[in-house]
Structure formats: C-alpha cells, structure tokens
Amino acid sequence: MTATTLLLARHGQTVWHAGNRYAGVSDVALTDTGRAQAEALGRWAAGHPVDAVWTSPLSRAVATAAPACRALGLTPHREPDLRECDFGVVEGRTLAEFAERDPAAAEAFRADPVAHPTLLHIPLPEYRRVLPRLHNAALTELRIDGGQAALLSLNTPCTY
C-alpha cells in the first residue's frame, strides 16, 4: 500500500465571515475577497499538480475549486459528504447572538459543537482550542499511510 497525500483547502471568504456567522450547511456565496482567494489558490495549484479535486456541492466550495480545476485541467468531483457540519440553531448566527437567546445552549455548544470522529484524533470538545482559526482558501496537507494520518502542514495561506 502506498501513502496518499491529501491537500485540503478551505473555501474562500463568504458574506457571513465578516460577521463571524456560522455557515455550515447554508449555501452562502463568496465575496469579492473570497473570489480573489480562490484565484490565488488556482495560481498555487498550477505549480503543484494533483490527481483529482473533490469539493462539497455548496457554491462557496465549487467556486473556490474552480480556478484550481481550470489550472489543472480537471473536473471537480462533487461529494455531499464533504459539506461542513450542520450547526442547527446556530446556523446563520454569531455565537454571541445565540448566547443572548439561549445562554445554556450556547455554553453546551462551546463545550462540544460537533459529534463526528476526527482523522487526527483531536478530542472534539477541544478542536476549537487546537485549531482556533482556519484561514479562507488556506491549505492543509495530510499524509495517509496504512490507516495512519500525519499532519504535514496546517492552514497555510495561498499567497501566489
């Protein structure tokens, strides 16, 4: 079995980022900045060929992947399982707005916002402490070998 390298790119900035609103499953469009970030990712991809591009079906992910796909001559595979978490009643709100409405629920959300396994075995209640900020259109590189995952780089902005 050979090792596989995964390059993960977060989508570009959306209209909800300025207000720090949760946008998990909501289909929120990219801003002009987000489109510029996607173009920078495309320029980066042109110099770092990959075999395939997979994206969530949400428009922000598809639009972010489009310049890289053009540069690489690839058609993106749209995979519904790559969508972000559904933040439920927090979706579209800031955490402060949610806490104002329901302080106890907001505290419970802070303690454990998702209930999914993680590839790097980060305890879920700790993921925001371990990964406090993920830049838009930034790259994370993982190597998967024999069922083990290694983090090679994290949250590296594309500035090409």
Side-chain angles (χ1 to χ4, degrees):
M1 176 180 245
T2 61
T4 299
T5 299
L6 299 175
L7 294 170
L8 308 172
R10 186 170 187 231
H11 58 77
Q13 182 189 73
T14 71
V15 296
W16 282 3
H17 280 107
N20 200 24
R21 297 185 180 284
Y22 282 86
V25 296
S26 296
D27 201 2
V28 183
L30 295 180
T31 61
D32 288 343
T33 298
R35 285 186 287 280
Q37 291 166 335
E39 291 297 331
L41 180 61
R43 289 188 297 277
W44 181 90
H48 300 84
V50 299
D51 296 324
V53 174
W54 292 79
T55 180
S56 101
L58 295 176
S59 65
R60 64 183 177 263
V62 173
T64 299
C69 289
R70 281 194 307 273
L72 297 167
L74 296 173
T75 301
H77 302 275
R78 293 183 186 181
E79 175 53 55
D81 287 341
L82 291 177
R83 285 176 300 143
E84 289 188 46
C85 300
D86 184 344
F87 290 107
V89 296
V90 183
E91 190 84 12
R93 294 186 170 124
T94 67
L95 196 51
E97 289 170 344
F98 182 52
E100 193 174 289
R101 179 174 172 230
D102 191 341
E107 188 54 40
F109 179 79
R110 281 187 191 99
D112 190 4
V114 295
H116 301 285
T118 65
L119 188 62
L120 295 173
H121 304 287
I122 298 167
L124 291 172
E126 298 294 316
Y127 90 93
R128 286 192 184 277
R129 182 185 59 75
V130 175
L131 307 171
R133 181 168 187 221
L134 295 177
H135 298 286
N136 293 107
L139 292 166
T140 295
E141 186 175 7
L142 298 170
R143 182 178 32 230
I144 312 297
D145 192 1
Q148 298 293 318
L151 181 63
L152 302 178
S153 66
L154 174 67
N155 200 26
T156 305
C158 288
T159 56
Y160 298 92

